[in-house]
Amino acid sequence: MLVAGKHLRTIGLGDDGWSVEIIDQTKLPFAFETVRLRTLEDAVRAIAAMQVRGAPLIGATAAYGVCLALRADASGDALDRACETLMATRPTAVNLGWALDEMAAAVRNLPQGARADAAYARAAAIADEDVAICRAIGGNGLSLIRAVAEEKGDNGPVNILTHCNAGWLATVDYGTALAPIYMAHDAGIPVHVWVDETRPRNQGARLTAWELAGHGVPHTVIVDSAGGHLMQRGKVDLCITGTDRTTGAGDVCNKIGTYLKALAAKDNGVPFYVALPGPTIDWTMSDGADIPIEERDPAEVSGIAGRAEDGSVARVDLMPDGSAAANYGFDITPARLITALITERGVCEASAVGLLSLYPERRG
Ligand code: MRU
């Protein structure tokens, strides 16, 4: 996507050809800063501290983390250690484990001297595949938005509600949930996005709003609890969210609060779509209740960071000293609440039958 007129991806190699450059997403939207990852530890820190986040980008960063580890030590033990350490960074997004398995499979049987180069080649392919997948998701979701626009005719823009950030910042480029929105906008379809702020880390207010503004897409940030009201008033035509892990039966794990939007959508007859790349499907699971839900530092709930009037960025406390806070990162939206899944291979029912119709190689 474009940042100040320059086409950027969220991750790529630096000028030296081996270090890895990322956008430090903890600084957005108040500052645009890139960071160089030079060691496995840098990659681990970037994922754990959420300098990079979003399921597909976590996977791509982990892949490059393996490259950095093998560059320093290409032994089998080093490979195992790198995969274990990266795997422990965040538990919910399945793309992390998927990417690490892909990397291990690409290098394990090679002579040590060939492993680092092979790792860089596989990591680059994972990043390129993610871009192609997200572009295809965009095309498939575009048809859904176009159909609503045609039905609405001159009755205003297509109003789309999204939660968290599932735009290009959460992937290598284009995004998942936002890819169809960018394509609709670029195709001249009038769209307007309701952006859930997405407490506690505010990925909606900080990242989705920044992305949409950068691309010129009309949008409005709302508090997380406003979606139901807007749906009752007929101000939401459809919802599109991303997902961090979707079971083989179509249950969707996504940022905390997604389930409540799906309930409100069901009650109001608003279509609720989830956009996902194939690597976000966990074929080993059929019940969303089995997905590990990340519990993060309660300090993310008890305080908030923002820009003060003097331009400085500071964290302020929101709660009385001594009150407890709990910080569940994700929730499960059961398949029955989801109108359809938008994948790179097409749109399908949120069910095992639906997913297997698009990924027949997974049968049995
Ligand atoms: O905790 P995060 O920011 O890594 O959460 C991931 C997300 O951005 C969302 O849950 C998103 O909708 C799925 S990733 C495309």
Side-chain angles (χ1 to χ4, degrees):
M1 300 296 290
L2 295 178
V3 175
K6 197 175 157 204
H7 186 202
L8 279 187
R9 285 184 174 189
T10 53
I11 191 165
L13 292 186
D15 303 336
D16 54 18
W18 66 267
S19 65
V20 179
E21 193 166 84
I22 58 160
I23 299 166
D24 183 351
Q25 299 192 20
T26 62
K27 299 281 169 44
L28 290 170
F30 308 120
F32 181 87
E33 288 177 18
T34 56
V35 168
R36 265 322 153 85
L37 312 180
R38 293 187 170 84
T39 62
L40 168 67
E41 291 68 33
D42 289 346
V44 166
R45 195 177 324 110
I47 299 173
M50 291 175 71
Q51 288 178 307
V52 291
R53 22 71 46 209
L57 180 56
I58 289 172
T61 308
Y64 277 113
V66 172
C67 301
L68 296 172
L70 292 178
R71 196 173 174 272
D73 177 354
S75 66
D77 282 353
L79 174 64
D80 291 342
R81 257 197 321 276
C83 289
E84 270 165 37
T85 321
L86 286 159
M87 192 63 204
T89 50
R90 296 195 67 191
T92 300
V94 75
N95 308 56
L96 176 60
W98 171 83
L100 292 172
D101 287 348
E102 291 285 312
M103 294 300 291
V107 303
R108 188 174 300 285
N109 296 325
L110 299 177
Q112 284 198 25
R115 284 181 180 163
D117 283 352
Y120 274 100
R122 186 66 193 110
I126 286 175
D128 288 345
E129 283 162 21
D130 183 63
V131 175
I133 284 174
C134 289
R135 199 188 291 120
I137 289 173
N140 292 329
L142 169 61
S143 333
L144 300 169
I145 298 175
R146 195 191 297 282
V148 176
E150 282 167 5
E151 204 180 303
K152 284 192 88 170
D154 292 333
N155 293 321
V158 179
N159 288 300
I160 304 167
L161 184 141
T162 194
H163 190 71
C164 195
N165 172 263
W168 70 275
L169 288 169
T171 64
V172 178
D173 204 352
Y174 295 108
T176 56
L178 293 194
I181 296 173
Y182 287 128
M183 287 198 187
H185 175 79
D186 291 350
I189 298 171
V191 288
H192 165 262
V193 185
W194 295 111
V195 179
D196 282 351
E197 62 175 345
T198 318
R199 277 283 288 149
R201 295 284 294 224
N202 284 350
Q203 288 96 329
R206 295 183 66 141
L207 304 178
T208 302
W210 180 80
E211 275 193 32
L212 292 172
H215 201 75
V217 180
H219 62 282
T220 307
V221 178
I222 51 176
V223 295
D224 290 326
S225 38
H229 166 74
L230 293 172
M231 290 187 217
Q232 284 177 326
R233 295 287 164 104
K235 290 179 184 292
V236 180
D237 295 305
L238 68 152
C239 306
I240 313 181
T241 73
T243 169
D244 299 84
R245 188 185 303 221
T246 290
T247 69
D251 288 346
V252 161
C253 179
N254 193 48
K255 183 55 60 189
I256 192 85
T258 303
Y259 169 52
L260 295 177
K261 297 302 139 60
L263 282 173
K266 187 77 168 179
D267 192 44
N268 290 281
V270 173
F272 189 93
Y273 296 105
V274 177
L276 69 154
T280 304
I281 304 166
D282 187 341
W283 297 99
T284 69
M285 280 188 189
S286 57
D287 186 350
D290 294 334
I291 297 175
I293 301 295
E294 181 176 18
E295 288 182 44
R296 297 184 57 83
D297 189 342
E300 293 180 351
V301 174
S302 63
I304 198 164
R307 186 170 52 192
E309 275 176 16
D310 66 1
S312 63
V313 176
R315 181 191 184 279
V316 292
D317 288 332
L318 295 169
M319 290 171 31
D321 293 339
S323 290
N327 190 3
Y328 298 95
F330 300 89
D331 62 22
I332 308 297
T333 301
R336 66 189 152 75
L337 297 179
I338 298 163
T339 307
L341 302 173
I342 308 168
T343 80
E344 73 277 15
R345 295 199 187 173
V347 177
C348 72
E349 184 185 88
S351 67
V353 171
L355 281 169
L356 289 171
S357 72
L358 296 180
Y359 299 89
E361 72 275 18
R362 294 291 178 166
R363 278 180 208 282

